[in-house]
Amino acid sequence: MSKYIFVTGGVVSSLGKGVSAASLGALLQSRGYTVHVRKFDPYLNVDPGTMSPLQHGEVYVTHDGFETDLDLGYYERFLGIKLSRTDSVSGGRIYWDVLNAERHGDYLGATVQLIPHVSNKIKEYIARPTDTDFVICEIGGTVGDIEGKIFLESIRQFANDVGRRNVMFAHLTLAPYLEQSGELKTKPTQMSVRRLLENGIQADVLFVRSPRMLTPDEQAKIGMFCNIPAKNVITSMNVDNIYKIPLVYEEQHVFDIMAEHFGLPMAAGDMSKFHKIADYLTADLPTCTIGMVGKYFDVPDAYKSLNEALFHAGVQNNVHVKIKKIDAERFTPNDCKDVDGILIPGGFGARGVDGKIAAAGYARENNIPFMGICLGMQVSVIDFMRNVVGDKDANSTEFAKNCTPVICIMNDCDKDNMGGTLRLGAYPCNIKPNTLAHQIYGADQIFERHRHRYEMNIECQAVLEKNGMIISGLSPDGRLPEIVEIPSHKFFIAGQFHPEFQSNPFTGHPLFNAFIAAAMKK
Ligand code: GLN
């Protein structure tokens, strides 16, 4: 049977529960244990796919095509695991299941109630079998939220069901620093732990977010008020890079706390891959500037996975990658004068698309290393058709009704639907031999994740290839172009998928690694 760690948060939101949960997983993995992670979000949206990125940042896409909260991206990157649609569970999904079951008559006329019907449904998702030693479950929101109460009740019951020694409760809080008195205040933490206790949950370990390390006195004081041994009161220091958090926890012997709780043998862990990143961060390395021509820059985290993938590629190439945010709506060639590479990310809607087409053209004409992602690939094809092939009417049917449809909807069943359905999740792509894509991936077939409605029109292949843009990646049925490149260019490659979802800090991603390597050469 797996052992469970529940991560809750209190005092304020945005304390970094996702990174903390992932870091606990990293400590366990470093001792050879296998780990799975799940996120429970009490809100009532049935899935996060319909939530505005303006509120929630990037929509992360799993291998099996589920649009999830970006925390799942942290888990996958930190831990090298693949999560799926049942690992991101919202309150809406739980109630939806329960109400459907009720309509279906599954409860045989019983009165349907929060306890046991909703709580049992939550426990069912928690307990879905994995073949891992540990399952870490992050509970979204903050202790005290009304909609989160039933989740706390469910994890309380769950601990009672499977035995207290098989479940660990980790709680994140904040210790604000008051400058006037020069004090770190512990009261909010005490209140938060008490709040948790009102729900029948005694925290086993605390992660106290703070600008500096807690002193032994502060640890002892918090421990005394919160019923926790002082050594289990951990400082979750503010750090400049999230990959330092596992090291911060390691230094405070967090694995030992877990080992003691679960009755595991004490063991030293191999944290070298995190040390390598920490060393990279302080190393004196050259800088490479990537111009990112996008439009969601006011939203923190809208390009989360992309920023990560560029960072990872910097680690692999021993270079600090600086991202220059270029607003597509105001794009002028001048914006690219000082960049070593141009990247056009994904996007939806016509706003800013002209600037993106112009940026792709600028990279093409000036032999600047170029990488296009999803919409970034689509605009590079539109530019090529318009300005190399000479068809000024070339466009995507997303932006113009009457045009030469070089980008259009290909899923036949949805032709009459407004824009069709999104192609979501991982799809195979066959790679043509003797191409840049083949050299980069070193494979004949790859799987990358998608999130888009429109496709490049395969009917354009002949004219594009005659003029110097080739399709180097194609769906196995030969209908959907997946990768284009310009062989005469120094480095010009674009994909219909989102490679950033599969990058990780320890190996990077082949496409991003190659892109940064090319940019460095420039
Ligand atoms: N808007 C484009 C489409 O739906 C591109 C989407 C994207 O870049 N993720 O096909």
Side-chain angles (χ1 to χ4, degrees):
M1 188 200 126
S2 303
K3 297 193 181 295
Y4 292 82
I5 300 175
F6 291 102
V7 180
T8 56
V11 185
V12 293
S13 58
S14 307
L15 286 175
K17 284 199 297 280
V19 173
S20 285
S23 300
L24 295 180
L27 295 185
L28 291 165
Q29 278 186 339
S30 76
R31 272 82 179 177
Y33 295 102
T34 52
V35 177
H36 193 86
V37 190
R38 295 198 163 122
K39 172 97 195 261
F40 290 82
D41 278 305
Y43 53 66
L44 294 185
N45 303 64
V46 175
D47 68 54
T50 53
M51 294 166 85
S52 165
L54 297 174
Q55 277 183 36
H56 287 267
E58 155 189 287
V59 175
Y60 188 76
V61 181
T62 58
H63 220 64
D64 63 343
F66 194 58
E67 297 177 282
T68 77
D69 185 271
L70 51 78
D71 272 328
L72 266 78
Y74 286 121
Y75 307 150
E76 291 202 339
R77 286 190 283 269
F78 263 78
L79 302 172
I81 53 177
K82 273 203 180 80
L83 301 175
S84 69
R85 57 183 62 237
T86 47
D87 298 319
S88 169
V89 188
S90 66
R93 158 63 49 200
I94 300 284
Y95 291 115
W96 185 264
D97 284 3
V98 169
L99 293 177
N100 275 321
E102 187 273 332
R103 292 289 81 188
H104 194 244
D106 294 356
Y107 299 123
L108 306 173
T111 308
V112 180
Q113 296 183 295
L114 282 178
I115 305 169
H117 300 96
V118 172
S119 54
N120 281 352
K121 182 56 74 180
I122 294 173
K123 290 197 284 181
E124 210 178 288
Y125 273 102
I126 293 171
R128 279 184 111 86
T130 66
D131 52 6
T132 54
D133 303 320
F134 284 87
V135 179
I136 300 176
C137 297
E138 176 189 346
I139 310 295
T142 310
V143 173
D145 294 350
I146 291 174
E147 58 192 8
K149 246 186 143 51
I150 189 67
F151 285 84
L152 296 182
E153 166 61 14
S154 303
I155 64 177
R156 180 197 69 75
Q157 288 182 18
F158 187 84
N160 198 46
D161 296 347
V162 301
R164 196 59 184 81
R165 284 294 135 202
N166 294 315
V167 168
M168 182 166 185
F169 291 114
H171 188 58
L172 262 79
T173 69
L174 173 76
Y177 180 73
L178 290 192
E179 226 150 279
Q180 285 82 354
S181 57
E183 278 178 305
L184 211 57
K185 305 307 284 184
T186 65
K187 191 75 82 196
T189 295
Q190 298 173 37
M191 303 298 274
S192 184
V193 172
R194 206 162 295 165
R195 256 305 172 36
L196 206 52
L197 209 45
E198 281 168 19
N199 293 277
I201 294 171
Q202 168 65 58
D204 298 308
V205 56
L206 287 182
F207 294 94
V208 184
R209 182 77 179 262
S210 135
R212 63 153 170 80
M213 290 301 285
L214 296 170
T215 63
D217 281 352
E218 287 160 346
Q219 273 181 300
K221 182 174 167 192
I222 294 173
M224 190 261 291
F225 277 110
C226 298
N227 250 345
I228 293 174
K231 68 174 176 32
N232 291 16
V233 179
I234 305 299
T235 311
S236 208
M237 282 262 288
N238 295 343
V239 288
D240 55 358
N241 185 283
I242 53 172
Y243 297 107
K244 287 185 181 168
I245 292 290
L247 298 174
V248 169
Y249 289 0
E250 176 73 8
E251 277 161 24
Q252 296 176 76
H253 310 290
V254 172
F255 174 78
D256 297 356
I257 296 170
M258 294 191 277
E260 193 176 271
H261 182 89
F262 291 115
L264 312 172
M266 293 293 167
D270 176 8
M271 300 298 287
S272 53
K273 59 184 188 179
F274 288 99
H275 282 294
K276 199 181 140 211
I277 298 178
D279 293 344
Y280 158 85
L281 288 166
T282 51
D284 186 16
L285 297 169
T287 301
C288 143
T289 306
I290 299 301
M292 188 152 128
V293 186
K295 66 171 175 180
Y296 304 119
F297 291 125
D298 337 324
V299 188
D301 290 347
Y303 294 115
K304 182 84 207 160
S305 295
L306 200 49
N307 295 338
E308 280 279 322
L310 289 167
F311 171 74
H312 305 159
V315 178
Q316 296 309 311
N317 281 290
N318 271 314
V319 59
H320 291 304
V321 176
K322 192 175 138 213
I323 298 173
K324 178 177 179 190
K325 298 173 186 170
I326 300 174
D327 181 353
E329 278 187 284
R330 287 184 203 95
F331 176 80
T332 71
N334 248 343
D335 295 329
C336 294
K337 285 279 174 311
D338 52 352
V339 305
D340 303 307
I342 295 177
L343 183 142
I344 305 189
F348 289 82
R351 184 168 68 85
V353 82
D354 291 333
K356 291 185 180 182
I357 296 171
Y362 184 85
R364 174 180 53 74
E365 280 170 0
N366 295 283
N367 219 8
I368 299 173
F370 174 84
M371 181 165 165
I373 293 176
C374 207
L375 181 64
M377 160 174 159
Q378 299 176 354
V379 296
S380 73
V381 177
I382 295 171
D383 160 65
F384 200 88
M385 272 301 266
R386 285 187 189 171
N387 301 315
V388 180
V389 176
D391 183 347
K392 295 290 174 208
D393 293 328
N395 211 334
S396 163
T397 55
E398 183 178 3
F399 312 124
K401 277 228 147 36
N402 297 316
C403 63
T404 309
V406 290
I407 312 293
C408 55
I409 287 177
M410 296 293 282
N411 34 353
D412 304 328
C413 51
D414 287 307
K415 259 192 184 133
D416 302 324
N417 184 341
M418 284 191 29
T421 46
L422 284 171
R423 176 148 76 111
L424 283 170
Y427 283 85
C429 159
N430 290 349
I431 300 192
K432 208 167 146 189
N434 303 316
T435 57
L436 178 60
H438 200 275
Q439 185 191 320
I440 289 173
Y441 279 101
D444 297 328
Q445 189 178 65
I446 55 158
F447 282 81
E448 292 281 11
R449 299 184 197 173
H450 291 249
R451 181 171 184 257
H452 58 102
R453 285 196 177 85
Y454 296 82
E455 307 278 355
M456 178 183 159
N457 188 345
I458 187 73
E459 285 167 22
C460 303
Q461 183 172 21
V463 65
L464 285 173
E465 296 203 338
K466 201 171 125 226
N467 286 276
M469 175 180 261
I470 65 161
I471 295 177
S472 53
L474 200 55
S475 64
D477 66 4
R479 291 175 69 229
L480 307 174
E482 294 275 8
I483 308 176
V484 297
E485 54 189 74
I486 301 177
S488 63
H489 189 283
K490 195 185 283 172
F491 186 98
F492 193 106
I493 192 160
Q496 185 54 74
F497 43 77
H498 290 270
E500 68 271 26
F501 293 142
Q502 294 202 91
S503 180
N504 73 72
F506 315 114
T507 62
H509 181 287
L511 266 179
F512 286 95
N513 294 350
F515 174 53
I516 295 301
M520 271 171 80
K521 273 192 211 130
K522 179 180 176 281

